[in-house]
Amino acid sequence: MNGRRVVSDDEVARAGCHFFLRHGTVDMDRLAAAMCISRATLYRVTHGRDRLLGEVLWRLAERMLAEARRSRTRSGVDGAVEITYRFTGRLLAAEPFRRFIAAEPEAAARILLTSAGGLTERIVAAQQEIFTEVGLDSAGPDLAYLYVRIIESALYGELVAGRPADLNLAHRAARTLLLAAC
């Protein structure tokens, strides 16, 4: 026996979530040490820090999004915007998330706004499900993508344009888009 510990993607992602919630980042060396695995094993399992951070951020966001969906009181355009409002408010209030954006703006922009973290595809798919859930069956994947990008441009204003987040602007723009399209 070689003494190497075998870990699954799920174990690493769960450990990454715990680490992120405590520190507002994921330090691969410290995470590997905490998991009693080598750094090489950690990278082999995760395929890199960006992918791990993308998975961590998705898992944490998915919980917030599920809560926002359960709390919805409206349907149609108002229901979609209500879910977005609840989710984005919780996301911006999350201290580890704010620390991550402040401490690592380049990594945050790369992971949140490009394919590097694998988040865009997941959030667009979730938004498409939300449209169906609230009765906007005619809203297709292109509309979901555009809706998500509008929200992201305001939510991550600091990363995109050096502007503070403006959720009111995002929600007004997203609502206008949905009213025009549906």
Side-chain angles (χ1 to χ4, degrees):
M1 185 130 175
N2 63 11
R4 292 173 63 169
R5 181 165 178 245
V6 177
V7 295
S8 69
D9 292 341
D10 186 59
E11 282 179 282
V12 170
R14 281 187 284 122
C17 286
H18 292 294
F19 194 98
F20 185 86
L21 289 172
R22 281 192 310 276
H23 304 286
T25 190
V26 173
D27 179 294
M28 298 296 270
D29 291 331
R30 289 174 56 202
L31 180 60
M35 295 185 70
C36 300
I37 60 174
S38 71
R39 189 172 187 263
T41 297
L42 182 59
Y43 273 92
R44 190 171 30 259
V45 171
T46 64
H47 305 291
R49 183 173 183 261
D50 284 358
R51 280 287 175 196
L52 177 57
L53 276 165
E55 180 65 27
V56 164
L57 291 171
W58 172 249
R59 286 180 180 220
L60 298 173
E62 192 174 33
R63 291 179 195 157
M64 290 181 209
L65 190 55
E67 176 58 35
R69 290 167 88 166
R70 283 190 300 273
S71 300
R72 176 179 59 86
T73 61
R74 301 176 191 141
S75 61
V77 169
D78 291 334
V81 173
E82 178 186 11
I83 291 169
T84 301
Y85 184 82
R86 290 176 188 273
F87 170 71
T88 55
R90 288 181 58 125
L91 187 61
L92 281 183
E95 180 62 29
F97 184 71
R98 288 196 333 259
R99 278 187 285 158
F100 173 60
I101 289 177
E104 300 185 59
E106 295 86 13
R110 188 175 58 249
I111 292 160
L112 294 167
L113 300 169
T114 73
S115 62
L119 286 171
T120 298
E121 298 81 6
R122 289 170 150 177
I123 198 69
V124 168
Q127 189 59 56
Q128 183 67 49
E129 290 172 11
I130 290 167
F131 286 160
T132 301
E133 180 180 304
V134 299
L136 299 177
D137 299 322
S138 64
D142 290 341
L143 185 60
Y145 176 80
L146 185 56
Y147 184 91
V148 166
R149 286 303 188 180
I150 287 171
I151 297 302
E152 286 174 339
S153 67
L155 182 63
Y156 309 132
E158 293 174 51
L159 300 174
V160 174
R163 299 174 53 158
D166 187 345
L167 295 184
N168 289 328
L169 174 63
H171 297 140
R172 285 193 317 270
R175 188 175 204 301
T176 300
L177 172 71
L178 292 181
L179 288 171
C182 297

